[in-house]
């Protein structure tokens, strides 16, 4: 069983570039071992200079945004490689929701499986939210998953899109493998019939 | 009599693998082949063990080492500083779970997307899953290649299934005949330039048209490999006699009566006349010269005889800022011709262009020439078998005599997770698939191109038009 997703509020960091790729989210050099500090590696090439010092211009290094729980991002967030470490890095840093007009497919699915909410919002709503978020002290936004809304200062509320089954699974904290294993009878029936229809799939020539 | 309604190639394969619908938008899909690599599988095995679950079908699963491996000749599992742990875990996890394992010393070792087709693990009409986005490569043989994250690797290990949203379908038709020197890689880069890197999001892309049908199988693998660069879930090309001939006799391919039965099914794998796609796009293959990327996404691409954009001429402020940023990162003067940019590194290899035909195309350009003095040039075969075949044809000698490093098989300079890294600030021409900032190493500047174009640049010491090298 995973952890059920609870409503929360927190500071939102504006990171409004298009096509933020997974190499940018977590560079490959952090993927060489199972024990790398992924929170430290989050956006490493943007957060640090060549000597390893923090880049003061990068949003997550600025005081109100160091503790961001949300990121407002441009379209096609998470494009590139399938590395789930991109999602793990965001989660370990403390990010619980990325709101963007669109996400890359694999990242989108990886996010749900780790309790990170990828909220699809309209460009217009996002533009307003960004204006509210881009203030020196930052701004707090509240994410309400059952209502599928993100509420900001001054009464601004934006709806986000989420497939109903995803919302339910997040709220319950479903373990997807457990859910699939409950369909074991269907899988076994399919496999038995397929062994007859396509024996070459199941009896791999050279290895047997 | 009621006629069956026309179906797309994608729908035929998907429906044949549907165990059941999960809801209005998702299906539970059977996975025929699961290929593991060392960087995305360790945590999956950890999760599996923690939950007390077993690998459901080890006989449908294989493991190879590719991302972290050293490509130094004579390398072993310990050669690569920092990567040994994940390689050891892969070997142990595979052995413990009775999964076939192709380690660095195994003659079957190589990049997942190169060995899959090469060993006959990828067959027409199959569903192939792997924890790597370029699994879409399998589409070159008419298979659904589905790249997934680590949680999904664990899901496949435990259930031999994937719970997937049904993708929409997009047909990209390549009309006309490509000109001299224009390869499969150029066709994809050209299409990326036209349609952008998000056009395929949420879609299964079928590549069609005369320019695609004319491609040999290895070139089709190159096209489908880059489906993920369109944001697509997967890409595929209807298998034909060329594809069946490619598969015949491969190690894990069906034989004898099973071959005949398989072939009967494979011959039904095409989009029916009148099949409806959610989206259709068309490209004129005849109009594209050889392509080179200039920026930091794959849509930042121009023909070799063109100039990089000048932000001054771009009205849209967002687009202008993006072009300015990309040119600044790449240290390229606005509006200059792409040709003539001096390079420091040339990398020929990767799951996009590390097959024998790619190496042959590069060798044809290199033969009798020398790599420019200031250039480091590497050829990295996509698999140990490609390396062996290339050596049997004497390609290693052509490359070595020209001053190229002849390496062992692996992902190498595509991904900068191993020791093959482009130095900070250096300019690289690469046959791989991603030119993102820092992709080939911190501050590396990457230009994507075909193997022939990369070879030509290595010799000239600058980005150059291979068509003029005769």
């Amino acid at each position: 069983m995973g952890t059920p997703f609870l409503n929360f509020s927190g500071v939102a960091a504006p990171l409004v570039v298009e096509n933020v790729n997974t190499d940018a989210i977590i560079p490959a050099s952090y993927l060489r071992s199972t024990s790398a500090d992924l929170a430290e590696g989050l956006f490493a090439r943007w957060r640090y200079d060549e000597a390893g010092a923090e880049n003061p211009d990068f949003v997550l290094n600025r005081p109100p945004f160091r503790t961001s729980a949300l990121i407002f991002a441009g379209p096609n967030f998470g494009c590139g490689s399938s590395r789930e470490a991109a999602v793990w890095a965001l989660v370990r840093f403390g990010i619980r929701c990325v709101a963007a007009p669109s996400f890359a497919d694999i990242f989108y699915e990886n996010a749900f499986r780790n309790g990170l909410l990828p909220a699809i919002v309209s460009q217009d709503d996002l533009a307003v939210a960004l204006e509210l978020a881009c203030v020196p002290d930052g701004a707090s936004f509240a994410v309400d998953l059952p209502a599928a809304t993100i509420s900001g200062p001054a009464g601004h509320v934006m709806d986000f899109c989420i497939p109903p089954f995803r919302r339910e699974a997040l709220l319950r904290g479903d373990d997807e493998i457990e859910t699939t294993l409950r369909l074991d009878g269907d899988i076994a029936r399919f496999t038995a019939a397929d062994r007859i229809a396509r024996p070459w799939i199941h009896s791999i020539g050279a290895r047997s | 009599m009621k006629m069956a309604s026309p179906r797309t190639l994608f729908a035929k394969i998907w429906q044949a693998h549907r165990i059941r619908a999960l809801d209005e938008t998702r299906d539970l899909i059977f996975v025929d082949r699961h290929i593991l690599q060392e960087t995305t599988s360790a945590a999956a095995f950890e999760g599996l063990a923690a939950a007390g679950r077993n690998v459901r079908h080890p006989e449908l699963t294989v493991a190879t080492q590719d991302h972290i491996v050293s490509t130094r000749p004579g390398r072993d599992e310990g050669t690569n500083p920092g990567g040994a742990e994940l390689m050891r875990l892969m070997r142990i996890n595979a052995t413990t779970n009775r999964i076939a394992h192709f380690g660095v010393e195994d003659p079957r070792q190589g990049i997942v997307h190169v060995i899959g087709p090469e060993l006959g693990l990828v067959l027409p009409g199959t569903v192939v899953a792997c924890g790597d986005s370029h699994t879409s490569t399998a589409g070159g043989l008419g298979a659904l290649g589905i790249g997934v994250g680590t949680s999904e690797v664990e899901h496949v290990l435990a259930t031999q299934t994937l719970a997937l949203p049904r993708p929409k379908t997009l047909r990209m038709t390549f009309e006309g005949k490509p000109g001299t020197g224009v390869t499969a890689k150029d066709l994809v880069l050209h299409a990326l330039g036209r349609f952008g890197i998000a056009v395929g999001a949420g879609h299964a892309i079928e590549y069609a048209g005369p320019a695609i049908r004319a491609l040999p199988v290895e070139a089709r693998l190159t096209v489908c490999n880059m489906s993920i660069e369109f944001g697509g879930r997967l890409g595929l090309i209807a298998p034909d006699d060329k594809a069946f001939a490619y598969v015949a006799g491969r190690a894990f391919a069906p034989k004898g009566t099973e071959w005949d039965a398989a072939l009967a099914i494979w011959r039904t794998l095409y989009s029916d006349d009148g099949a409806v796609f959610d989206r259709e796009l068309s490209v004129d293959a005849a109009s594209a010269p050889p392509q080179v990327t200039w920026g930091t996404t794959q849509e930042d691409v121009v023909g070799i005889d063109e100039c990089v954009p000048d932000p001054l001429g771009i009205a849209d402020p967002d687009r202008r800022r993006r072009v300015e940023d990309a040119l600044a990162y790449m240290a390229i003067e606005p509006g200059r011709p792409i040709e003539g940019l001096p390079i420091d590194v040339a990398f020929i290899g990767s799951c996009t262009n590390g097959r024998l035909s790619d190496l042959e195309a590069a060798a044809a350009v290199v033969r009798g020439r020398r790599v420019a003095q200031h250039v480091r040039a590497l050829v990295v075969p996509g698999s140990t078998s490609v390396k062996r075949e290339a050596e049997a044809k004497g390609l290693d000698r052509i490359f070595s005599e020209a001053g190229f490093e002849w390496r062992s098989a692996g992902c190498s300079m595509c991904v900068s997770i191993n020791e093959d890294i482009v130095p900070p600030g250096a300019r690289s021409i690469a046959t791989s698939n991603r030119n993102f900032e820092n992709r080939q190493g911190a501050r590396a500047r990457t230009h994507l191109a075909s193997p022939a174009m990369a070879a030509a640049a290595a010799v000239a010491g600058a980005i150059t038009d291979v068509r003029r090298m005769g």
Side-chain angles (χ1 to χ4, degrees):
Chain A
M1 218 39 206
T3 313
F5 187 97
L6 301 174
N7 289 347
F8 73 95
S9 46
V11 170
L15 186 73
V16 187
V17 264
E18 290 173 37
N19 309 316
V20 172
N21 66 69
T22 54
D23 276 79
I25 299 170
I26 188 77
S29 55
Y30 285 85
L31 308 180
R32 288 192 189 114
S33 85
T34 56
S35 52
D37 186 343
L38 295 177
E40 186 200 293
L42 180 69
F43 296 117
R45 306 276 185 239
W46 295 346
R47 265 166 81 200
Y48 313 114
D49 67 15
E50 284 147 52
E54 282 190 6
N55 162 16
D57 295 335
F58 187 65
V59 62
L60 294 182
N61 286 335
R62 296 208 294 270
F65 302 113
R66 298 181 82 94
T67 55
S68 295
L70 283 82
I71 287 178
F72 291 151
N76 200 28
F77 188 88
C79 64
S81 98
S82 68
R83 63 184 68 162
E84 197 160 320
V87 173
W88 300 336
L90 287 160
V91 169
R92 289 190 197 161
F93 186 84
I95 304 296
R96 301 186 55 195
C97 170
V98 179
S102 61
F103 292 88
D105 293 352
I106 301 177
F107 179 90
Y108 188 69
E109 291 179 33
N110 285 343
F112 286 113
R113 299 196 166 96
N114 294 279
L116 175 73
L117 173 64
I120 298 175
V121 296
S122 78
Q123 293 269 17
D124 291 348
D125 279 342
L126 188 68
V128 179
L130 274 172
E131 251 176 64
L132 297 167
C134 287
V135 292
D137 294 332
S140 185
F141 288 76
V143 174
D144 183 335
L145 180 56
T149 59
I150 300 175
S151 314
H156 176 253
V157 179
M158 58 180 168
D159 298 322
F160 61 84
C161 278
I162 179 170
F165 82 91
R166 290 288 191 200
R167 180 166 61 184
E168 301 316 312
L170 272 181
L171 290 168
R172 286 193 304 260
D174 282 357
D175 171 348
E176 203 172 81
I177 296 178
E178 193 57 48
T179 308
T180 299
L181 287 173
R182 275 187 231 125
L183 304 173
D184 196 58
D186 294 284
I187 300 172
R189 268 191 299 282
F190 179 94
T191 312
D194 197 52
R195 273 185 216 283
I196 296 164
R198 300 185 307 152
W200 62 89
I201 293 298
H202 303 270
S203 64
I204 298 185
R207 204 180 314 147
S208 52
Chain B
M1 197 171 78
K2 192 169 169 249
M3 296 289 283
S5 52
R7 291 191 296 165
T8 63
L9 168 60
F10 166 77
K12 288 178 182 178
I13 305 174
W14 183 271
Q15 286 163 13
H17 288 79
R18 179 160 56 200
I19 294 166
R20 56 171 288 164
L22 295 171
D23 54 44
E24 318 76 65
T25 59
R26 289 183 314 145
D27 292 321
L28 190 65
I29 294 293
F30 185 77
V31 172
D32 296 319
R33 298 284 181 266
H34 187 198
I35 312 183
L36 303 165
Q37 50 100 338
E38 73 278 24
T39 63
T40 52
S41 63
F45 279 106
E46 217 171 273
L48 201 69
R53 292 172 181 142
N54 296 318
V55 179
R56 189 175 178 114
H57 286 293
E59 79 283 7
L60 303 182
T61 312
V62 303
T64 188
Q65 302 194 341
D66 56 4
H67 279 62
I68 288 182
V69 300
S70 165
T71 65
R72 277 187 230 180
R75 49 84 189 281
D76 61 32
E77 203 169 293
T79 305
N80 212 351
E85 181 206 5
L86 287 175
M87 291 172 67
R88 190 174 53 84
L89 284 173
M90 162 115 285
R91 179 167 43 77
I92 292 170
N93 285 325
T95 312
T96 313
N97 292 285
R98 294 172 291 114
I99 292 166
H101 178 245
F102 311 145
V104 281
E105 297 92 354
D106 195 292
R108 296 165 296 185
Q109 179 270 345
I111 308 177
V112 280
H113 318 302
V114 176
I115 67 161
E118 185 176 86
L119 292 173
L121 290 163
V122 171
L123 301 170
T126 54
V127 169
V128 180
C130 173
D132 190 287
S133 64
H134 291 105
T135 310
S136 62
T137 312
L141 283 168
L144 304 187
I146 300 172
V148 295
T150 294
S151 304
E152 282 293 71
V153 170
E154 187 180 335
H155 190 278
V156 180
L157 287 172
T159 69
Q160 201 60 29
T161 70
L162 283 165
L164 289 175
R166 242 163 269 149
K168 293 191 285 248
T169 52
L170 161 64
R171 179 160 59 186
M172 205 179 280
T173 304
F174 288 74
E175 305 287 359
K177 188 172 182 285
T180 314
V182 177
T183 68
K185 178 67 157 292
D186 300 300
L187 295 182
V188 185
L189 287 173
H190 178 62
L192 279 159
R194 280 205 52 194
F195 305 130
I197 61 169
V199 73
H203 289 76
I205 307 174
E206 180 176 344
Y207 302 96
I212 295 293
R213 284 198 300 277
L215 293 175
V217 169
E218 293 196 345
R220 295 177 184 186
L221 296 168
T222 300
V223 171
C224 289
N225 173 272
M226 293 190 70
S227 303
I228 188 74
E229 317 311 339
F230 289 106
R233 196 64 235 244
L234 57 92
L236 76 170
I237 293 172
D240 56 8
D241 284 338
K242 268 192 266 191
F244 308 144
Y246 175 94
V247 172
R250 297 200 177 256
F252 294 94
K255 316 259 173 359
T257 53
E258 288 198 340
W259 171 265
D260 297 337
L263 192 60
I265 293 182
W266 297 349
R267 289 202 185 281
T268 67
L269 298 176
Y270 51 84
S271 288
D272 297 327
D273 285 343
V276 178
F277 291 78
D278 294 302
R279 194 158 182 204
E280 298 258 15
L281 294 169
S282 163
V283 190
D284 178 15
S287 70
Q291 305 283 303
V292 186
T293 64
W294 55 265
T296 53
T297 77
Q298 302 90 342
E299 68 189 43
D300 303 337
V301 64
V302 288
I304 183 63
D305 48 10
E306 292 170 356
C307 294
V308 306
D310 186 339
L312 281 178
I314 299 172
D316 173 38
D318 290 339
R319 168 80 187 148
R320 190 190 318 131
R321 204 193 48 217
R322 227 196 64 62
V323 168
E324 279 167 358
D325 289 350
L327 290 171
Y329 179 86
M330 294 295 288
I332 301 178
E333 215 180 301
R336 67 152 287 162
I338 189 76
E339 187 163 16
L341 264 181
I343 57 143
D344 307 296
V345 175
F347 165 58
I348 295 170
S350 86
C351 59
T352 313
N353 280 131
R355 297 181 186 79
L356 186 64
S357 52
D358 299 313
L359 272 43
E360 285 174 326
V365 174
V366 165
R367 190 188 299 269
R369 294 190 164 107
R370 286 286 309 170
V371 169
Q373 200 99 56
H374 65 279
V375 172
R376 180 185 178 200
L378 294 84
V379 182
V380 188
S383 71
T384 298
S385 162
V386 167
K387 183 179 193 207
R388 217 168 37 237
E389 289 173 50
E391 287 171 353
K393 287 173 170 262
L395 302 187
D396 58 323
R397 277 207 323 281
I398 294 173
F399 286 120
S400 300
E401 282 165 14
F404 278 85
E405 295 173 38
W406 179 248
R407 309 286 291 194
S408 295
C411 294
S412 186
M413 254 186 202
C414 174
V415 63
S416 72
I417 193 172
N418 45 61
E419 62 187 349
D420 299 340
I421 285 174
V422 173
R427 187 179 302 285
S428 147
I429 188 161
T431 65
S432 45
N433 38 53
R434 290 188 175 139
N435 55 341
F436 300 152
E437 289 181 13
N438 310 300
R439 168 77 179 179
Q440 289 193 285
R443 292 195 295 119
R445 299 180 173 125
T446 301
H447 297 269
L448 301 177
S450 75
M453 285 287 285
V459 168
I463 292 173
T464 195
D465 191 339
V466 68
R467 295 173 300 183
R468 280 209 304 273
M469 293 190 68

